[in-house]
Amino acid sequence: MNVHASDTDGPSQADLSSNLNDYLAAIVESSDDAIITKNLDGIIQTWNPGAERLFGYAASEAVGQPILMLIPEDRQHEEVDIISRLRRGERIKHFETLRRRKDGKLVPISLTISPVKNSNGEIIGASKIARDITHLVDAAERQNLLLTEMRHRVGNCFAVAGSLISVNARQAETASELASLMRERLSALSDAHRLAVTDPSGKSAGSTSLRNLIISVVEPFAGDHLYELDVEDMHIAPDAVTPIALVFYELCTNAAKYGALSQGGGGLLVAARRNGERFRIDWREQCCLDPHATQKEGFGTQMCDSVVKASLGGVVTRRFEVSGMTATMDLDLKILEAQ
């Protein structure tokens, strides 16, 4: 019996090559990353579904168009450098930059760019793999903000401790009494500070009244100073406890360093009332001030403004006079009050 070679031999080289190309094409099609090829003139040659999702253009809109349509005007010099490096056969790994979507929004991406060669080994273009790194950029920004806030708070803790020594020294007659007062105030301050820090476990501390929250923050700072609360009480929504505590903690810190809680005879009034769908809180310090020297906007002031706007749907306004300082918070009642 005659046996033909085609009956016994495995797949031909052409079949293997075709299968490999199909396999690679399937990988490109199913990739979550944007995979794009372009020629050395910067004209887009291929465009996978990942590129459609990332940049918003269909393949029919992108293929044949210059890659510059994705690059913001102030970054188009990057393309010149990329083409130059590709012509030298370089591979560019994890290049972080910004690119423009079809809707005009900028998206941070990480690019890996490799030269594409023909059968003669000549470089004829490039393949680009782009990955959306928005979540990484956001995480880095949050980390930087937290580090800045931590540095600010640590510095405040030392300043507040120094202020508390001065405040308590007026009340204490002996070193032992001073030490006892300091331990008491620092312990209370620690409890108040804990309210202004989100629990990483996400556990809620339960229902908190506005009046009790204000007292827990103000009491450690007040010492022998007079302070008055005229507060329409309510139970605060769990998500509003930390923002409110943080703002009052910052106000107390500044008052202990520069304002009413740093001066003998200084006084403090906190008033709070509903006003339709809004809730107004007034913080009034009675003390001697240089209004021009106290209107500097440091990180703490900016942080309070940001927290009130983002977390409490409100705004903070401040007024400095020779007789003291007033800070007014206009808040969204629906956000503030526990339902």
Side-chain angles (χ1 to χ4, degrees), residues 268-327:
L268 172 66
L269 168 66
V270 181
R273 288 286 181 275
R274 297 170 190 261
N275 183 16
E277 295 183 353
R278 309 296 294 177
F279 195 85
R280 173 172 169 151
I281 301 176
D282 289 314
W283 169 280
R284 298 173 187 156
E285 297 180 35
Q286 294 178 333
C287 57
C288 297
L289 288 181
D290 177 353
H292 301 292
T294 54
Q295 297 187 42
K296 299 176 182 177
E297 285 201 7
F299 174 77
T301 299
Q302 295 169 7
M303 180 179 64
C304 285
D305 291 347
S306 176
V307 165
V308 168
K309 180 179 179 180
S311 301
L312 300 171
V315 293
V316 183
T317 56
R318 300 171 184 81
R319 188 173 70 254
F320 296 89
E321 299 174 338
V322 292
S323 60
M325 187 276 282
T326 299

Side-chain angles (χ1 to χ4, degrees), residues 69-87:
M69 74 178 191
L70 303 177
I71 305 177
E73 285 75 11
D74 61 345
R75 290 178 177 265
Q76 295 198 354
H77 62 280
E78 294 176 355
E79 180 64 9
V80 176
D81 180 61
I82 288 169
I83 292 295
S84 175
R85 294 172 65 180
L86 287 169
R87 289 183 185 276

Side-chain angles (χ1 to χ4, degrees), residues 139-149 151:
E141 289 178 353
R142 285 195 299 271
Q143 183 182 44
N144 287 335
L145 178 61
L146 287 172
L147 288 172
T148 303
E149 181 181 338
R151 187 166 56 246

Side-chain angles (χ1 to χ4, degrees), residues 134-178:
T134 300
H135 64 292
L136 296 177
V137 172
D138 289 346
E141 289 178 353
R142 285 195 299 271
Q143 183 182 44
N144 287 335
L145 178 61
L146 287 172
L147 288 172
T148 303
E149 181 181 338
M150 183 178 70
R151 187 166 56 246
H152 172 74
R153 288 202 189 183
V154 168
N156 269 349
C157 284
F158 286 111
V160 167
S163 297
L164 287 179
I165 290 173
S166 299
V167 167
N168 292 327
R170 293 197 296 266
Q171 298 175 269
E173 296 182 359
T174 65
S176 176
E177 189 176 349
L178 176 59

Side-chain angles (χ1 to χ4, degrees), residues 23-98:
Y23 183 68
L24 293 175
I27 292 175
V28 171
E29 286 294 304
S30 62
S31 175
D32 288 334
D33 295 333
I35 302 177
I36 305 166
T37 60
K38 65 179 182 180
N39 62 24
L40 291 179
D41 293 323
I43 303 301
I44 298 168
Q45 305 297 299
T46 63
W47 185 269
N48 78 331
E52 293 186 0
R53 290 189 294 272
L54 178 57
F55 297 113
Y57 293 96
S60 59
E61 297 176 288
V63 173
Q65 298 300 315
I67 197 72
L68 290 176
M69 74 178 191
L70 303 177
I71 305 177
E73 285 75 11
D74 61 345
R75 290 178 177 265
Q76 295 198 354
H77 62 280
E78 294 176 355
E79 180 64 9
V80 176
D81 180 61
I82 288 169
I83 292 295
S84 175
R85 294 172 65 180
L86 287 169
R87 289 183 185 276
R88 298 195 298 267
E90 291 185 35
R91 186 168 183 261
I92 303 167
K93 296 182 180 180
H94 307 304
F95 172 56
E96 295 186 3
T97 186
L98 291 173

